[in-house]
Amino acid sequence: MQIKKLLPLALATAASAQETMNLTAALASSPELSRLTGALGLVPGVGATLGEASNITLLAPSNAAFEELNATTLNDTALIQAVLQYHVLNGTYYAENVTETPSFIPTMLMNSSYTNVTGGQVVEAVRRDGKVVFFSGLLMNSTVTQANVTFDNGIIHIIDRLLTVPANVSTTAVAANLTSLVGAVTTAQLAEAVDTTPDITIFAPNNEAFQSIGSALGNIPAEDLASVLTYHVINGTVGYSSTLSNRTLQTLNGADVTISVIDGAVFVNSARVVIPDVLVANGVVHVIDNVLNPANATATPNATMSTQMPAFSGASSASDVPFTSNVPTPTAPAPTGGAAGGSSTSSSASGAAMPMRTGAVGAAALFGGAALVYNM
Ligand SMILES: *[C@@H]1O[C@H](CO)[C@@H](O)[C@H](O)[C@H]1NC(C)=O
Ligand SMILES: *[C@@H]1O[C@H](CO)[C@@H](O)[C@H](O)[C@H]1NC(C)=O
Ligand SMILES: *[C@@H]1O[C@H](CO)[C@@H](O)[C@H](O)[C@H]1NC(C)=O
Ligand SMILES: *[C@@H]1O[C@H](CO)[C@@H](O)[C@H](O)[C@H]1NC(C)=O
Ligand SMILES: *[C@@H]1O[C@H](CO)[C@@H](O)[C@H](O)[C@H]1NC(C)=O
Ligand SMILES: *[C@@H]1O[C@H](CO)[C@@H](O)[C@H](O)[C@H]1NC(C)=O
Ligand SMILES: *[C@@H]1O[C@H](CO)[C@@H](O)[C@H](O)[C@H]1NC(C)=O
Ligand SMILES: *[C@@H]1O[C@H](CO)[C@@H](O)[C@H](O)[C@H]1NC(C)=O
Ligand SMILES: *[C@@H]1O[C@H](CO)[C@@H](O)[C@H](O)[C@H]1NC(C)=O
Ligand SMILES: *[C@@H]1O[C@H](CO)[C@@H](O)[C@H](O)[C@H]1NC(C)=O
Ligand SMILES: *[C@@H]1O[C@H](CO)[C@@H](O)[C@H](O)[C@H]1NC(C)=O
Ligand SMILES: *[C@@H]1O[C@H](CO)[C@@H](O)[C@H](O)[C@H]1NC(C)=O
């Protein structure tokens, strides 16, 4: 019995040991990868690093995937280098290592012009309908079309779409239609801190959440607004859904929030996470359906209800979405055009890195789709 089990494995190992190729040969072995080879040629440093690395997984965009790249992006050496580094995972991950429970895998993208996640920006790996899918910035997805191409330094999976380098919080929030939050953060002059503080987790209330407590926000003093907003930010911890469990976390405000995981649903105080794991340049954003109130830290969820009581008791709904008049308008057109509209207020490279696709699917629509999936 044991021998039977061992035999195919031993054969497989022997076979792969014989067949193993160097990076150049592995890329050349698939006609699907000629454009990736060309892109690697634009930034010799990345190819050299890859050739010398061990224990890596290369997510190799197919030629069709490269169609999405704007020529301007291909001319930007620093950006294309960052994009390629983001496609290299630290560790050997076979297709069967990816399960229906999402995991968040560090990549070789560490350049602080593009990420402030210590240890490397991550991709989310998850199995959906039997397929291996990687989620990147703006909840963009890439599906593995050919798995486990072995080469000397690790393995290659061919994917059908480029990964999107996660953009900063402001850019991502605008793309996700979290305009009330963006306006509030701008009003409180917290945008720069939120965009550049390394390793953060943000619980981001959606527009409905702000609107439902509009009366409490009408004339809120700047200091109180800042206190409410900083209560939504965890500094020093990037809390992906895979790591969130029943516990308290200290916020930037100083006060704690309570995380509860109930039948797979994640709550922070009484607010429900409606879209988890939106990767951003400096950490992760979870969209929630209520504004958190530091003066009501004991609010608890009722998991059987689809909507929760606002944490600001006595507040009433506003007719307009609060703070949206304060959403900064883009100061310059997006450098590379593309999906997300690039309504970035930041000149940081990550703001520019995101809207690099030529495909014209609005990111807000993508987020809408994600919300549907996660609400079911
Ligand atoms: C990769 O392998 C091919 C074929 O075996 C060989 O011709 C080439 O020199 C190798 N390249 C490097 C960089 O080792
Ligand atoms: C890319 O760079 C080349 C050479 O520097 C230039 O001729 C070309 O116009 C650039 N293309 C774009 C789309 O920026
Ligand atoms: C890969 O991850 C390991 C920890 O698992 C770390 O020690 C190593 O430095 C990482 N390699 C790179 C190139 O980041
Ligand atoms: C490969 O990388 C993974 C992730 O960094 C690490 O856990 C593992 O120990 C490494 N294995 C080898 C053989 O270096
Ligand atoms: C991947 O799965 C194989 C077994 O299929 C296991 O030996 C290996 O440790 C797994 N690697 C990781 C990084 O989980
Ligand atoms: C990372 O943080 C530094 C300052 O701490 C900032 O200059 C840089 O723009 C940040 N990077 C990104 C991608 O936001
Ligand atoms: C991937 O994105 C496309 C839209 O571009 C969407 O239709 C599809 O459902 C997404 N797949 C997953 C697994 O989220
Ligand atoms: C490669 O991936 C396939 C799934 O796509 C899996 O069935 C197979 O076992 C994997 N092979 C190795 C050697 O990991
Ligand atoms: C964005 O939010 C506003 C205000 O809540 C809403 O009216 C609009 O339908 C949303 N747009 C999308 C694309 O979800
Ligand atoms: C976040 O935490 C770090 C390390 O503790 C600290 O240096 C930094 O000032 C904090 N950031 C903010 C915005 O409070
Ligand atoms: C987490 O807390 C909730 C209630 O707050 C409880 O229903 C659930 O069982 C707890 N989960 C674990 C793993 O203890
Ligand atoms: C690339 O982006 C630039 C700037 O947004 C735009 O002018 C140009 O038309 C785009 N090129 C392609 C091929 O889509």
Side-chain angles (χ1 to χ4, degrees):
M1 190 63 191
Q2 272 191 340
I3 290 174
K4 260 188 188 166
K5 259 187 169 171
L6 282 171
L7 198 58
L9 192 72
L11 284 176
T13 309
S16 69
Q18 270 169 12
E19 282 165 19
T20 188
M21 296 177 272
N22 63 32
L23 176 68
T24 316
L27 292 175
S29 75
S30 172
E32 270 302 291
L33 299 179
S34 57
R35 295 199 63 182
L36 172 60
T37 307
L40 285 167
L42 296 173
V43 279
V46 176
T49 308
L50 277 181
E52 287 158 17
S54 61
N55 192 18
I56 58 170
T57 301
L58 173 62
L59 302 181
S62 66
N63 285 351
F66 267 94
E67 295 294 333
E68 292 182 62
L69 256 200
N70 189 306
T72 312
T73 304
L74 280 169
N75 259 14
D76 182 340
T77 310
L79 175 56
I80 198 72
Q81 175 165 340
V83 168
L84 291 171
Q85 287 167 333
Y86 190 46
H87 285 75
V88 184
L89 314 187
N90 181 0
T92 306
Y93 296 90
Y94 290 97
E96 62 262 36
N97 290 114
V98 177
T99 68
E100 284 174 7
T101 303
S103 59
F104 297 84
I105 303 174
T107 71
M108 297 295 176
L109 177 57
M110 299 185 184
N111 179 345
S112 71
S113 296
Y114 296 93
T115 180
N116 279 308
V117 173
T118 303
Q121 181 57 277
V122 306
V123 292
E124 175 183 353
V126 67
R127 189 171 287 273
R128 289 273 171 85
D129 298 328
K131 295 188 171 125
V132 175
V133 180
F134 292 93
F135 285 93
S136 52
L138 290 177
L139 293 180
M140 293 293 183
N141 67 70
S142 307
T143 301
V144 171
T145 54
Q146 189 184 337
N148 311 339
V149 180
T150 56
F151 75 117
D152 290 348
N153 319 16
I155 58 166
I156 298 174
H157 301 303
I158 300 181
I159 54 174
D160 65 348
R161 271 179 159 191
L162 285 160
L163 302 173
T164 297
V165 173
N168 69 25
V169 175
S170 296
T171 303
T172 302
V174 169
N177 203 31
L178 299 169
T179 42
S180 196
L181 176 64
V182 173
V185 165
T186 306
T187 304
Q189 301 191 320
L190 289 169
E192 185 172 346
V194 156
D195 282 338
T196 61
T197 302
D199 300 322
I200 65 173
T201 304
I202 296 184
F203 296 103
N206 58 22
N207 281 357
E208 292 75 10
F210 279 100
Q211 191 167 6
S212 71
I213 59 155
S215 70
L217 300 169
N219 295 308
I220 188 170
E223 224 171 86
D224 294 356
L225 179 62
S227 164
V228 168
L229 292 172
T230 52
Y231 190 55
H232 292 73
V233 182
I234 316 294
N235 179 18
T237 301
V238 187
Y240 303 108
S241 61
S242 57
T243 63
L244 291 176
S245 58
N246 284 359
R247 59 174 294 192
T248 59
L249 289 169
Q250 191 181 27
T251 68
L252 259 190
N253 163 305
D256 288 353
V257 288
T258 301
I259 308 293
S260 323
V261 182
I262 306 174
D263 294 333
V266 177
F267 296 87
V268 47
N269 292 350
S270 64
R272 183 191 291 263
V273 171
V274 290
I275 306 178
D277 299 319
V278 182
L279 305 177
V280 290
N282 56 339
V284 68
V285 169
H286 304 290
V287 180
I288 57 177
D289 66 356
N290 249 322
V291 180
L292 306 175
N293 183 356
N296 186 7
T298 57
T300 50
N302 180 345
T304 61
M305 306 289 282
S306 63
T307 55
Q308 305 294 316
M309 292 290 291
F312 292 74
S313 61
S316 58
S317 180
S319 54
D320 293 331
V321 182
F323 303 114
T324 44
S325 61
N326 231 347
V327 176
T329 45
T331 49
T336 58
S343 306
S344 176
T345 54
S346 159
S347 60
S348 88
S350 74
M354 179 270 298
M356 68 186 184
R357 292 166 183 281
T358 55
V361 185
L366 279 172
F367 275 81
L372 274 179
V373 169
Y374 287 108
N375 277 330
M376 284 188 320

